[in-house]
């Protein structure tokens, strides 16, 4: 399929296609609270790495979806959590995207467990196997479609020690981390290859896999 | 591991950990040309969905890495391509991150094949199974670490028809699409579950999987 055909396609088809274009997407449940202490939980499928020192994480938010509570809350409280998914909590996570009424918490509706820890006023998802706590750093509203890029700094991390390899890399295969590949489809990963650091004068070598 | 331990960890360990935090990352080879027609190819592991109408795609770029040529080129020519990876071209793709000298094309060095098509002055990767052509729309330099968020509009798409499901969703399992999970590790995906559209009054249902 080339682009002119796509433009002519009906809206739902086009939306499905564009939302699944890039392959596997970093996906997490974003936990926030409002000033009154009502917890909110939203699926974010556009989490991206921004920097390691300091540890910065980006995500894209749409202003007009259910995720807008997330945005209002993180602006208000200055913090949020990102909690990775695994198969056993997937149906509950997907259900968090339903348009619940004002003041209703997705935690209550889906049965996922909010946990407030020491540092932040935002709830973690107790069932998640990798939980990050972030301080809101900055945001940019895109001129092209009013979506908002949010950048946060990680200030807390909870992950089982045995899922962190000796070189610091997280073992997502072990954690059964799930990635969205469209609006409604989720996947786990299978390691294919790990390579050496690439240099101009020699070919990168296979460390494991393939 | 919680955060104080992480802060105390040595630099390489911390870099590996933060770069692998979010699980599977949308990864693609970004093809550009400079005004002199020298092609550039860079691995981008922070591609994210921005919007469906118009079809907008975001990516994060670091100004001080080899990817800076990509940035200069796309500013200069106003266009670029994103080409998804599969296992057979993975080693070549990873090798593109080597710091080649000025004026050297990663295509020549890795043996991947540049193809200029009708609409854009940027090269596609012939071996890629899903190729997007984009017009550069806008960019934002992050105050927190000077990384650059680039937003482009897709104007061309090349993908085998039999990898697009009847509802428009791309079948990344069939394409064997690869996602990075760290600086040097790559994975394919396995479908776990597809759900119905979530509504507040009824639980989302499993369409397939699990």
């Amino acid at each position: 399929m080339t682009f002119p055909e796509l433009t002519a396609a009906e809206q739902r088809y086009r939306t499905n296609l564009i939302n699944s274009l890039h392959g596997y997407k970093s996906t997490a449940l974003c936990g926030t609270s409002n000033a009154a202490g009502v917890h909110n939980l939203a699926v974010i499928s556009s989490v991206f790495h921004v920097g390691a020192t300091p540890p910065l994480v980006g995500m894209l938010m749409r202003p007009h979806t259910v995720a807008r509570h997330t945005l209002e809350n993180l602006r208000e409280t200055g913090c949020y959590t990102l909690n990775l998914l695994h198969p056993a909590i997937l149906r509950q996570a997907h259900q968090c995207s339903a348009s619940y009424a004002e003041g209703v918490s997705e935690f209550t509706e889906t049965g996922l467990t909010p946990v407030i820890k020491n540092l932040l006023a935002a709830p973690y998802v107790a069932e998640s196997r990798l939980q990050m706590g972030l301080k809101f750093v900055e945001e940019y509203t895109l001129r092209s479609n009013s979506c908002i890029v949010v950048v946060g700094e990680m200030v807390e991390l909870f992950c089982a020690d045995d899922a962190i390899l000796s070189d610091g890399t997280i073992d997502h295969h072990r954690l059964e981390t799930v990635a969205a590949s469209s609006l409604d489809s989720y996947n786990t990963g299978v390691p294919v290859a790990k390579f050496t650091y690439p240099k101009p004068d020699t070919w990168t070598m296979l460390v494991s896999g393939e």
Side-chain angles (χ1 to χ4, degrees), chain A:
Chain A
M1 160 173 287
T2 54
F3 203 72
E5 293 171 69
L6 178 64
T7 311
E10 61 87 19
Q11 172 69 27
R12 189 75 205 157
Y13 184 97
R14 205 163 63 225
T15 301
N16 285 336
L17 191 135
I18 306 293
N19 270 282
S20 64
L21 266 185
H22 326 107
Y24 303 105
K25 307 188 257 194
S26 291
T27 309
L29 280 166
C30 182
T32 55
S33 288
N34 66 14
V38 176
H39 298 324
N40 189 276
L41 200 55
V43 182
I44 308 288
S45 59
S46 54
V47 179
F48 56 93
H49 173 73
V50 171
T53 314
L56 298 173
V57 179
M59 61 182 183
L60 187 92
M61 317 219 58
R62 339 204 124 272
H64 304 304
T65 67
V66 289
R68 76 180 187 285
H69 288 135
T70 300
L71 195 58
E72 290 160 5
N73 290 353
L74 68 82
R75 283 172 179 157
E76 202 168 296
T77 63
C79 64
Y80 56 106
T81 70
L82 288 173
N83 308 268
L84 297 194
L85 309 180
H86 58 277
I89 59 170
L90 207 43
R91 191 175 174 213
Q92 288 162 296
H94 188 70
Q95 181 69 26
C96 289
S97 298
S99 297
Y100 290 112
E102 194 69 32
V104 172
S105 169
E106 291 80 8
F107 281 104
T108 313
E109 295 302 310
T110 64
L112 291 168
T113 313
V115 183
I116 300 286
K117 300 190 183 182
N118 293 333
L119 216 52
L120 302 176
Y124 291 90
V125 177
E127 291 82 359
S128 169
R129 294 176 181 164
L130 191 153
Q131 307 163 16
M132 295 168 242
L134 299 107
K135 276 200 292 200
F136 171 46
V137 174
E138 51 174 336
E139 63 172 295
Y140 298 84
T141 300
L142 302 181
R143 286 180 293 271
S144 42
N145 74 347
S146 302
C147 278
I148 295 138
V149 171
V150 172
V151 177
E153 180 175 345
M154 192 176 69
V155 293
E156 260 186 335
L157 170 66
F158 303 94
C159 175
D161 281 348
D162 63 0
I164 306 180
L165 305 178
S166 58
D167 70 352
T169 307
I170 306 272
D171 185 349
H172 288 289
H173 190 54
R174 185 179 184 101
L175 289 175
E176 295 183 286
T177 299
V178 160
S181 58
S182 72
L183 288 167
D184 52 17
S185 303
Y186 300 90
N187 313 265
T188 49
V190 178
V192 174
K194 180 180 170 81
F195 296 104
T196 55
Y197 190 82
K199 293 175 187 171
D201 50 346
T202 48
W203 268 88
T204 180
M205 299 291 289
L206 200 59
V207 176
S208 65
E210 274 188 332

